[in-house]
Amino acid sequence: MASEIMNATANALVWISSAFDAPTRAVVFGVPINGHLVVEALLVVVILFQLTRKSYKPPKKPLTEKEIDELCDDWVPEPLTPQITEELMIEPPTLESAAGPHAIVDGKEVVNFASANYLGLIGNDKVTDSCVGAMEKYGVGSCGPRGFYGTIDVHLDCEAKISKFLGTPDSILYSYGISTIFSVIPAFCKKGDIIVADEGVHWAVQNGLYLSRSTVVYFKHNDMKSLEATLEKVTGRSKHPEKVRRYIVAEAIYQNSGQIAPLDEIVRLKEKYRFRIILDESHSFGVLGNSGRGLAEYCGVPIEKIDIITAGMGNALATDGGFCTGSVRVVDHQRLSSSGYVFSASLPPYLASAAISAVDYLEANPSVLSNLRANVATLLSELSDVPGLVRTSHTLSPIIFLKLKKSTGSDKTDMHVLDSIANQVLKEDSVLIVSTKRSTLDKCHLPLGLRLFVSAAHSESGLLKAAASLKRVAGSVLS
């Protein structure tokens, strides 16, 4: 029996070897058919058979109650939020008074450099009286969006006042300052559009860029050579430039550095490469220019050269809400397409009244701008040689920004050092300053630093006290 199996195996091997070595037996359509082709055809058939056959699935067996309970006991859900460490448990100082140049913080009086009260209008009698009168007439809230019985005559008066002050055809009010820019950007920029933005824009602008779903390209902070190179690259890469909307997004005074954007150069590049400009003037409206009309006045650029201007009213005007100003077409589009305008309850009437009074005050008292600039110059002079810190802000910026001369290489460590300086200045000398705080959502990569918001209402003694305290504490902490 064994010899028969051996003989059969030998015969099979001989047959296979002869099949491979067999000469050409036939020619079909010009293709010679030999042993190799026969074996390869068989292999193809086997492979196709294996691919088309149904896979084996073992019969499903339902889990028992005990197995279900064990799986439930072992299951651990994913956390809804990241774990909050002790370092993230921030308890900022609590104000117990108006946020004027002097304020009460945790029970003691401090010199306040943490509030962007640029014109010193917090507590201004005329602004306060206008609020009281508006509340007596309209109540506190509006209880409805602008398109659904939330439009009150004072809203229209405020929009007209802003347009007249800036010299623009029309304006539109928003209920919340920070929501203005991140509602305006998605209202005009859609998927497929191109946005070239400064890498130093603050979080609200970043959020607007994200919500727009546009293609966003960043250029180096306030670097016009980088902006031009980026525009050149983006324009050359676009296949159908006439069908794509393209925007440049920048801030007039950057919150994250205190630098001022060179608007004249941006406008030149905008016209050269056929882009539109969206400019956020939250920290320049009421501050820059001979009469406080913002960056366009400061740079000597006709305001109609700027396509879209936005600003929060919580800084120089010492109220709340925001506005967007530009052409009638730009404003009308937002009344139907801007989520922050369409779906939010309208600005409380007393805040709109306060904004009107603040603009009236600025027009009647232009000297307040001279006081602000004098205070900025005084503080800059005193802070010219702070140990371990260097100023990055513009000389006319009311945001004085000081960063570390030598970074530790870690944002977390840098923030800890800056917080130590700010906390010690507050504890020892009753001077309130702030360090930059960035959440995990903030994608800005500019250096962290200390911010001092200068007000026209600061006294010389308060400015000198802040400078002396900061120099002493910085020298102690950074030595």
Side-chain angles (χ1 to χ4, degrees):
M1 184 67 179
S3 61
E4 292 178 359
I5 294 174
M6 292 293 292
N7 292 333
T9 303
N11 292 333
L13 290 174
V14 170
W15 183 85
I16 291 173
S17 61
S18 62
F20 276 98
D21 297 333
T24 301
R25 299 176 183 273
V27 176
V28 179
F29 298 111
V31 179
I33 305 300
N34 53 30
H36 285 283
L37 289 179
V38 173
V39 174
E40 290 170 0
L42 290 174
L43 290 175
V44 170
V45 171
V46 171
I47 292 172
L48 291 175
F49 172 74
Q50 293 293 339
L51 290 175
T52 54
R53 68 181 297 194
K54 293 183 178 181
S55 59
Y56 171 74
K57 293 182 180 180
K60 291 183 178 180
K61 183 180 179 182
L63 297 175
T64 63
E65 291 291 334
K66 182 179 180 181
E67 290 173 331
I68 293 174
D69 292 338
E70 289 175 350
L71 289 173
C72 291
D73 292 337
D74 294 338
W75 180 71
V76 178
E78 289 288 333
L80 293 176
T81 60
Q83 185 177 3
I84 300 177
T85 62
E86 187 175 350
E87 297 174 349
L88 297 176
M89 298 293 290
I90 301 172
E91 294 185 7
T94 303
L95 285 171
E96 299 169 358
S97 68
H102 291 268
I104 306 299
V105 173
D106 298 330
K108 67 177 182 178
E109 184 176 338
V110 302
V111 185
N112 181 17
F113 287 91
S115 303
N117 178 29
Y118 298 138
L119 301 182
L121 293 180
I122 289 181
N124 179 274
D125 291 338
K126 291 185 177 180
V127 175
T128 302
D129 290 343
S130 71
C131 288
V132 172
M135 281 193 288
E136 290 176 348
K137 181 178 180 180
Y138 303 105
V140 176
S142 59
C143 298
R146 288 288 299 273
F148 298 92
Y149 310 105
T151 296
I152 301 173
D153 55 1
V154 72
H155 293 140
L156 304 178
D157 294 341
C158 185
E159 291 171 347
K161 186 68 179 179
I162 291 170
S163 295
K164 182 179 178 181
F165 179 70
L166 291 176
T168 54
D170 203 359
S171 297
I172 181 172
L173 284 183
Y174 284 82
S175 308
Y176 187 38
I178 200 172
S179 70
T180 304
I181 185 65
F182 69 66
S183 295
V184 169
I185 293 176
F188 291 95
C189 310
K190 307 297 181 182
K191 187 175 182 180
D193 295 341
I194 297 174
I195 301 176
V196 177
D198 190 292
E199 67 178 359
V201 292
H202 63 82
W203 176 81
V205 181
Q206 297 172 32
N207 194 37
L209 299 176
Y210 170 76
L211 293 174
S212 72
R213 299 184 301 161
S214 301
T215 300
V216 181
V217 183
Y218 290 96
F219 64 94
K220 293 181 181 179
H221 180 49
N222 221 22
D223 186 334
M224 294 301 101
K225 290 184 178 179
S226 175
L227 173 58
E228 183 165 16
T230 305
L231 295 176
E232 180 74 36
K233 183 178 179 181
V234 167
T235 304
R237 204 165 49 189
S238 180
K239 294 182 179 179
H240 303 286
E242 70 281 356
K243 297 182 180 180
V244 178
R245 289 169 293 196
R246 300 176 296 182
Y247 300 87
I248 299 172
V249 176
E251 295 177 56
I253 296 180
Y254 288 94
Q255 181 176 301
N256 288 326
S257 69
Q259 294 187 23
I260 296 178
L263 183 61
D264 50 349
E265 186 66 15
I266 294 176
V267 168
R268 183 187 70 82
L269 295 175
K270 163 224 172 181
E271 293 176 343
K272 178 180 178 180
Y273 292 97
R274 298 180 179 275
F275 275 66
R276 297 181 176 96
I277 297 177
I278 300 177
L279 181 68
D280 183 59
E281 294 224 48
S282 295
H283 294 281
S284 60
F285 178 74
V287 172
L288 292 181
N290 294 330
S291 56
R293 285 174 167 81
L295 187 61
E297 183 181 37
Y298 169 73
C299 294
V301 174
I303 199 162
E304 58 268 16
K305 296 279 188 180
I306 310 171
D307 301 277
I308 303 170
I309 296 175
T310 68
M313 300 190 298
N315 300 321
L317 300 187
T319 178
D320 200 3
F323 67 84
C324 178
T325 189
S327 67
V328 173
R329 188 175 181 182
V330 162
V331 170
D332 285 347
H333 175 74
Q334 294 174 69
R335 297 195 190 278
L336 294 176
S337 303
S338 182
S339 58
Y341 178 88
V342 173
F343 300 109
S344 296
S346 61
L347 184 70
Y350 72 92
L351 293 176
S353 180
I356 294 172
S357 296
V359 175
D360 287 339
Y361 177 86
L362 179 58
E363 289 182 307
N365 300 275
S367 61
V368 69
L369 296 172
S370 300
N371 296 339
L372 174 60
R373 286 163 194 154
N375 285 347
V376 171
T378 298
L379 192 54
L380 286 179
S381 175
E382 295 296 322
L383 294 176
S384 59
D385 56 348
V386 181
L389 297 174
V390 60
R391 175 178 60 87
T392 65
S393 54
H394 192 277
T395 54
L396 290 179
S397 170
I399 304 174
I400 295 181
F401 196 94
L402 302 170
K403 70 174 185 178
L404 295 171
K405 282 184 180 178
K406 294 183 179 179
S407 171
T408 62
S410 166
D411 282 351
K412 185 183 294 186
T413 308
D414 286 352
M415 185 176 293
H416 178 72
V417 172
L418 295 167
D419 282 341
S420 299
I421 295 174
N423 293 335
Q424 199 167 327
V425 165
L426 176 61
K427 183 178 179 181
E428 297 179 3
D429 298 310
S430 298
V431 176
L432 181 62
I433 62 176
V434 291
S435 59
T436 48
K437 299 288 192 300
R438 290 185 187 153
S439 72
T440 54
L441 300 175
D442 196 334
K443 305 303 181 183
C444 178
H445 298 296
L446 296 185
L448 301 173
L450 296 172
R451 273 197 296 244
L452 290 84
F453 295 94
V454 183
S455 170
H458 278 130
S459 63
E460 185 178 3
S461 60
L463 298 170
L464 297 178
K465 179 180 180 180
S469 173
L470 188 54
K471 286 194 283 188
R472 180 182 60 79
V473 173
S476 172
V477 173
L478 298 175
S479 60

